[in-house]
Amino acid sequence: SVPAVAAHPPGRRCIQPSCSAPSAAIVAGTGLLTAACCLRSSSSSGATAAAAGAVSAVACALALWCFDSGTSAAPVLSKSELLAARDAALRSEPDELLREQISRNLHFLGEEAQASVGRALVVIVGVGSVGSHAAALLGRSGVACLRLVDPARLTVASCARHATATPARVPNSRAGATRDALRSTVPALSIQVCETALGAANAATLLAGADMVLLCTRDTPTLAVGLAHSHAAGLRALACLSGPASRGQSAGAHPSLVYLHELLFSP
């Protein structure tokens, strides 16, 4: 079994949820405007629509308040905390089970290199058709910790390309679905989900402690932020793009057509 994530200690820096405060404000304002317009109508349908608009406005106002107050923010665990969770899981799992799972890696990498992989933290930004497959392969290869950064949610179309998507998991978060699937196959894997977009304001927190950063996204601003911070912090980074995306095209590609472009930074 996977140990529960440690409680959020006081003063821990948090990442804001992926909801948008401006969007919530716009929807709330629209709901109030709809209610006001419908109240001018004397018909019962107008009154019903007004009530619905008012309810929508109140709900969005509450969502906006939650965003501003930070009550939905999730803590970002350090590498040492993630490794502690992995060690706790390993104590409850038979050692031979993990060694059997990574037996081919041991023959290929050797004991010393595999031990290094077994203490590594990989941050994956974007857990879609490319990122989810990367997470699944890394988890099964014995990587100790994964931090999955993605605010998006699964759709029915995701079932055709996402590594762990099923109709039952729609519309769960893409990162959360990946975590849940990997926990059932690699119980000792320590995974944290951050349902937020990578940006200049949170890059230092989200990428902290990473031994490798995989940027599995076609979003140019996100790639720019991830590469710039990795360069400044001396982190190893890979921009993992599908075939059309690597050529500047917006169309999706089959996950088997993946090109890894390694960025080698000088000291």
Side-chain angles (χ1 to χ4, degrees):
S1 59
V2 176
V5 173
H8 176 349
R12 173 70 62 77
R13 184 177 179 185
C14 296
I15 297 300
Q16 290 291 353
S18 59
C19 60
S20 168
S23 298
I26 291 171
V27 176
T30 303
L32 289 174
L33 181 61
T34 301
C37 292
C38 291
L39 282 174
R40 299 184 61 183
S41 172
S42 59
S43 64
S44 59
S45 60
T48 302
V55 170
S56 174
V58 170
C60 289
L62 288 174
L64 180 59
W65 176 83
C66 288
F67 180 91
D68 290 334
S69 65
T71 56
S72 297
V76 175
L77 302 180
S78 66
K79 179 181 177 180
S80 60
E81 289 173 309
L82 291 171
L83 285 173
R86 173 180 172 81
D87 292 340
L90 286 173
R91 285 194 292 269
S92 62
E93 295 290 337
D95 180 64
E96 61 271 14
L97 175 62
L98 179 60
R99 289 188 64 84
E100 178 64 24
Q101 287 184 322
I102 61 174
S103 58
R104 294 189 178 185
N105 285 34
L106 286 170
H107 288 297
F108 180 73
L109 297 176
E111 292 281 352
E112 184 177 351
Q114 185 62 46
S116 178
V117 169
R119 306 301 291 175
L121 165 62
V122 179
V123 178
I124 300 179
V125 180
V127 195
S129 58
V130 175
S132 62
H133 284 269
L137 290 172
L138 287 170
R140 292 169 183 267
S141 298
V143 167
C145 313
L146 295 177
R147 185 181 295 142
L148 308 179
V149 181
D150 193 331
R153 311 194 78 78
L154 293 173
T155 64
V156 174
S158 302
C159 297
R161 52 186 181 269
H162 193 275
T164 64
T166 63
R169 290 194 170 111
V170 176
N172 295 346
S173 71
R174 300 196 304 192
T178 304
R179 174 199 58 201
D180 295 343
L182 286 176
R183 279 182 170 175
S184 64
T185 55
V186 193
L189 177 62
S190 183
I191 309 177
Q192 181 176 26
V193 168
C194 297
E195 294 182 25
T196 187
L198 179 70
N202 60 16
T205 302
L206 290 173
L207 305 184
D211 296 288
M212 176 66 72
V213 177
L214 298 185
L215 298 165
C216 304
T217 175
R218 296 177 301 189
D219 184 65
T220 303
T222 301
L223 283 170
V225 168
L227 294 176
H229 180 79
S230 297
H231 176 61
L235 303 175
R236 290 181 293 177
L238 288 172
C240 307
L241 306 175
S242 60
S246 66
R247 296 190 294 272
Q249 302 173 15
S250 61
H254 192 277
S256 64
L257 303 176
V258 176
Y259 300 94
L260 299 180
H261 302 278
E262 184 168 6
L263 302 175
L264 301 177
F265 300 120
S266 58

